[in-house]
Amino acid sequence: MPPDGGKEPLENLKDKLRSLFGNKEPRKNKDGLPPKARFSIWYFLVAFLLFSYLQQSLFSAKVETIPYGQFKQYVAEGSAGDLTIGPENITGTLKFGEREPDQRFTTIRVNDPDLVKDLDERRISYTGHYESKFLRSILSWVIPIGIFFLIWRYAIKKMGPGMGVMSFAKSKAKIFAESETKVTFADVAGIDEAKEELEEVVGFLSNPGKFQKLGGRIPKGVLLVGPPGTGKTLLAKAVAGEARVPFFSISGSEFVEMFVGVGAARVRDLFAQAAGQAPCIIFIDELDALGKARGMNIMGGHDEREQTLNQLLVEMDGFETNKGVIIMAATNRPEILDPALLRPGRFDRQVLVDRPDINGREAILKIHSKDVLLAPDVDLRKLAGRTPGFVGADLANLINEAALLAARKNKETVEPADFDEAIDRVVAGLAKKNRVMNPQEKEIVAFHESGHAIVAESVEHADPVHKISIIPRGIAALGYTQQQPTEDRYLMTRSELLDRLAVLLGGRVAEELAFEEISTGAQNDLQRATDIARSMVTEYGMSDRLGLVTYERPRQAMFLPESFSPNKTYSEEKAGQIDEEIFRVVEEAHQRVRGILSAHRDVLNDLAHLVSQNEVVRGEELRKMLGKTSAG
Ligand code: ADP
Ligand code: MG
Ligand code: ZN
């Protein structure tokens, strides 16, 4: 066996050939660059030169160059024949009788006016030869041009599609054919409300005829709104996968190019491609990159992005939904989108893709740990409980981290200890983004939100509680209590305002009662409470002590500093009274709320524990605990 690991010579040769001709296999060398493949054009050239050199030397071995004198001698002997007489040399064949093979020869021509006469005398056949200068010069042009063309083609190919001059207008949208989006709704968990809303879209795409017959209006555009990593892209793919239709996806940032007009051309191209494949889904990821409100550009003028956006609007308007093309888009910043995008007939349906609650997180963990060997004592439910605020992408990351840690320690299965370490790692990353709470914070927030909710259910005029949640969202709000207005309001009575004030203070008072200690979490509540109290006193004339006088005009000059706006229409003395009065209103509300929550102390405790356990509690459950049957 040869010493070099037993590789057959043939194998070695194959390897070399592969590297010569730019094999697609991404074999990496030390520097991490793809190896010789990059230079294969040079190998080609070297091979070409070698070949032509060999060819020439082979020919020259066969064609013997002889002096002219010797040639004349052969002519005299009669052994030369089949002459070709060119302007510079003479070639021909030497015949040495039967035994020896004929020998080609060539000789440099000298000025010999008698040559033709000699040849004629000996009856040697000859012919003239004109060497074309034209052909030569053509070749000397064509070959370099050809080589340059090859190099250019090669370079363009290396740069990848979309970078060549010719391919600017071609959309970079990747076309996932039906078989390629193998994602289905089974791969998506924790965002059941969004899934339900999209089921209708799936129904339409898989059977467009049924909907058209009934004359129903199909949504043209569906906008998925939610924080990063909650599974918007995944969900869009799942819709395509469920409906078994092609999925065209492109990212908003890909549209925005340096060259003016390219983005618009891409949009046109994308829609044209999609129209040919209906029914299908066009998915525009990161719509905000493209769809920022027009006119927000500080530099002014029509910039490239604006043109692209306009083209998108035009294409969306020109699209008949019954062609079976549904446009989906995703964004985590819906507030900066151009309002034109949200108009009816465009992205008129918006689907909220929210952070998952504890059950959702458990389900997501289950999906992502399908192919991971878990130790039997790993409890996914417990893991879900320890990861409030995690989105789907974080959870997928968590499982992956844990698996890597276990592998590094050569374990057979992924153990709870690995998850502990992985959580620490992932949390460390997320803590910087303010997205996780420690257990103590969680407890405080649970009591705080429960306080809001119980007060809202106890006072007469507050809207019924829809749900209480302590899933962290954004930077400011750690939790929220969502109330559902029962009607639109234009006027509010005094007692309604007082009730609203009470609900706002509920969070703070619950903290007081439960911990005899207060946190900074109520800052926003207190500010809003103070605003309400101030308005009651200074604008609505609702204070007995100050009477029916309005002390403040509604602010108009928003952009002017305080001193410019002539708001202050009262004396310093009155100002002191106003402050006292505001304080009195808030303090009365405070005492009232203390009364309410003290009376419901048991419910407060139970509810807070339920909230910190489940993270989301529905209004009905609270009403049951309070012994109420219906909302009110
Ligand atoms: P988004 O588009 O909202 O930023 P992605 O759809 O790109 O989020 O999610 C990234 C990855 O995180 C997905 O490929 C998937 O592996 C995981 N993931 C996110 N959300 C979910 C979910 N709800 N269910 C299962 N996996 C999820
Ligand atoms: Mg995405
Ligand atoms: Zn609050």
Side-chain angles (χ1 to χ4, degrees):
M1 207 173 257
D4 64 336
K7 246 191 183 177
E8 295 285 327
L10 191 64
E11 276 298 301
N12 277 333
L13 187 67
K14 270 188 194 162
D15 271 2
K16 277 204 190 97
L17 282 179
R18 251 186 238 138
S19 62
L20 268 180
F21 292 108
N23 187 18
K24 285 278 153 52
E25 250 175 68
R27 292 193 305 146
K28 302 271 166 106
N29 63 14
K30 275 198 299 253
D31 309 323
L33 291 168
K36 289 147 193 167
R38 171 171 297 191
F39 303 108
S40 69
I41 187 83
W42 301 116
Y43 280 84
F44 179 75
L45 275 180
V46 168
F48 177 76
L49 289 177
L50 213 70
F51 178 73
S52 42
Y53 172 76
L54 279 178
Q55 198 183 33
Q56 250 189 6
S57 54
L58 278 179
F59 269 116
S60 60
K62 262 191 186 163
V63 182
E64 203 178 351
T65 309
I66 54 176
Y68 191 76
Q70 203 176 351
F71 162 68
K72 286 291 276 192
Q73 207 181 323
Y74 285 136
V75 170
E77 285 168 9
S79 50
D82 295 340
L83 299 185
T84 306
I85 304 174
E88 273 147 28
N89 48 21
I90 301 165
T91 57
T93 315
L94 295 176
K95 295 189 173 67
F96 301 108
E98 298 289 286
R99 294 230 201 107
E100 278 183 70
D102 294 352
Q103 166 80 56
R104 297 282 301 166
F105 74 90
T106 179
T107 184
I108 306 294
R109 183 176 172 178
V110 298
N111 200 358
D112 181 4
D114 295 336
L115 176 62
V116 176
K117 220 167 76 193
D118 290 348
L119 293 177
D120 283 343
E121 266 172 25
R122 295 189 169 73
R123 296 173 191 268
I124 295 174
S125 66
Y126 62 92
T127 168
H129 173 67
Y130 169 68
E131 229 170 273
S132 164
K133 285 248 167 61
F134 177 71
L135 195 68
R136 253 197 186 187
S137 57
I138 286 282
L139 278 182
S140 70
W141 278 101
V142 164
I143 287 177
I145 287 177
I147 288 174
F148 275 115
F149 178 75
L150 283 178
I151 291 176
W152 178 74
R153 278 268 309 264
Y154 180 78
I156 292 280
K157 233 176 157 175
K158 272 278 144 182
M159 280 198 288
M163 283 181 84
V165 184
M166 316 296 265
S167 60
F168 272 145
K170 274 281 166 210
S171 169
K172 266 199 289 188
K174 289 183 214 98
I175 302 173
F176 289 83
E178 171 182 332
S179 56
E180 281 178 67
T181 62
K182 288 194 187 108
V183 185
T184 64
F185 278 157
D187 299 312
V188 187
I191 41 179
D192 299 332
E193 286 169 33
K195 254 197 311 198
E196 269 166 37
E197 287 200 50
L198 290 175
E199 230 130 59
E200 186 196 356
V201 176
V202 172
F204 164 68
L205 283 170
S206 39
N207 193 356
K210 192 176 90 185
F211 282 78
Q212 281 154 19
K213 232 173 28 209
L214 296 174
R217 203 172 73 83
I218 310 302
K220 192 184 278 184
V222 180
L223 182 62
L224 304 175
V225 178
T230 43
K232 299 181 292 295
T233 309
L234 190 69
L235 199 54
K237 276 188 196 165
V239 171
E242 287 282 327
R244 294 166 177 274
V245 298
F247 181 75
F248 294 79
S249 86
I250 192 162
S251 167
S253 54
E254 278 175 56
F255 276 123
V256 183
E257 284 274 342
M258 263 194 305
F259 300 98
V260 174
V262 174
R266 284 220 173 115
V267 173
R268 221 174 298 133
D269 185 53
L270 174 66
F271 276 77
Q273 277 190 51
Q277 301 241 4
C280 67
I281 288 180
I282 296 178
F283 178 62
I284 303 174
D285 213 345
E286 300 169 51
L287 182 66
D288 42 282
L290 167 69
K292 253 180 269 175
R294 283 165 295 186
M296 267 175 45
N297 192 8
I298 304 166
M299 310 292 278
H302 282 270
D303 69 346
E304 162 65 0
R305 189 177 52 69
E306 213 160 285
Q307 255 191 39
T308 310
L309 175 57
N310 284 337
Q311 185 66 36
L312 178 65
L313 295 176
V314 167
E315 293 288 347
M316 284 189 82
D317 290 344
F319 240 74
E320 289 305 318
T321 334
N322 46 24
K323 273 193 202 155
V325 178
I326 288 199
I327 303 148
M328 295 181 77
T331 181
N332 46 22
R333 305 166 70 194
E335 70 282 354
I336 67 165
L337 288 183
D338 196 302
L341 274 171
L342 307 178
R343 237 168 254 154
R346 291 171 186 161
F347 291 106
D348 44 7
R349 170 115 21 139
Q350 285 161 40
V351 175
L352 178 67
V353 184
D354 213 345
R355 294 178 196 281
D357 63 5
I358 188 165
N359 297 323
R361 291 200 300 273
E362 188 185 357
I364 294 174
L365 285 170
K366 209 170 275 170
I367 288 178
H368 285 280
S369 59
K370 233 178 2 205
D371 301 327
V372 177
L373 284 174
L374 295 180
D377 52 343
V378 169
D379 184 352
L380 293 182
R381 176 77 188 179
K382 239 188 232 163
L383 273 180
R386 291 175 53 195
T387 49
F390 276 40
V391 294
D394 299 333
L395 294 168
N397 187 16
L398 173 68
I399 299 261
N400 191 40
E401 279 281 331
L404 289 179
L405 285 168
R408 202 175 299 156
K409 293 175 193 147
N410 298 319
K411 291 185 185 170
E412 298 279 297
T413 55
V414 187
E415 292 165 9
D418 301 316
F419 278 104
D420 290 344
E421 204 177 332
I423 287 181
D424 287 345
R425 284 185 178 206
V426 177
V427 165
L430 297 180
K432 289 188 198 126
K433 300 181 202 154
N434 251 321
R435 271 168 46 188
V436 280
M437 286 192 279
N438 65 37
Q440 198 195 345
E441 283 173 332
K442 204 169 155 183
E443 182 92 354
I444 294 175
V445 176
F447 268 97
H448 179 105
E449 295 305 327
S450 301
H452 283 308
I454 291 173
V455 175
E457 283 297 323
S458 304
V459 298
E460 192 185 344
H461 298 289
D463 295 322
V465 172
H466 179 60
K467 70 177 180 188
I468 310 155
S469 161
I470 56 164
I471 299 171
R473 44 185 56 223
I475 297 161
L478 290 171
Y480 64 100
T481 299
Q482 197 179 350
Q483 289 169 271
Q484 198 132 51
T486 37
E487 54 197 314
D488 285 343
R489 300 305 305 265
Y490 299 102
L491 283 175
M492 292 189 86
T493 64
R494 182 162 182 265
S495 38
E496 278 167 346
L497 283 171
L498 284 175
D499 283 354
R500 186 165 281 200
L501 197 57
V503 173
L504 283 172
L505 294 179
R508 168 60 165 274
V509 174
E511 286 182 48
E512 283 171 21
L513 289 175
F515 303 106
E516 289 168 354
E517 169 75 295
I518 48 184
S519 73
T520 55
Q523 190 240 355
N524 183 256
D525 295 339
L526 296 186
Q527 193 162 3
R528 281 162 61 198
T530 312
D531 284 347
I532 290 180
R534 180 182 298 279
S535 301
M536 286 174 69
V537 173
T538 62
E539 290 173 46
Y540 308 140
M542 287 179 179
S543 152
D544 299 334
R545 196 165 144 211
L546 290 169
L548 299 179
V549 181
T550 301
Y551 292 95
E552 235 159 282
R553 285 188 204 140
R555 291 219 173 80
Q556 269 159 359
M558 254 174 57
F559 305 111
L560 295 177
E562 272 293 292
S563 53
F564 277 110
S565 58
N567 269 331
K568 226 169 164 180
T569 55
Y570 45 84
S571 64
E572 288 299 322
E573 189 203 344
K574 267 284 183 257
Q577 283 177 15
I578 289 171
D579 287 344
E580 275 169 36
E581 194 59 10
I582 292 170
F583 180 80
R584 193 184 57 79
V585 171
V586 174
E587 191 47 37
E588 272 178 24
H590 184 191
Q591 293 310 325
R592 178 177 173 221
V593 174
R594 265 192 98 95
I596 294 172
L597 287 181
S598 300
H600 292 296
R601 199 50 227 273
D602 300 345
V603 180
L604 178 61
N605 278 351
D606 294 350
L607 181 62
H609 287 136
L610 195 64
V611 169
S612 81
Q613 212 174 6
N614 292 355
E615 293 175 7
V616 179
V617 172
R618 302 179 58 80
E620 284 90 64
E621 280 181 73
L622 169 58
R623 283 185 278 280
K624 230 182 271 165
M625 292 167 92
L626 285 169
K628 285 183 168 186
T629 39
S630 70

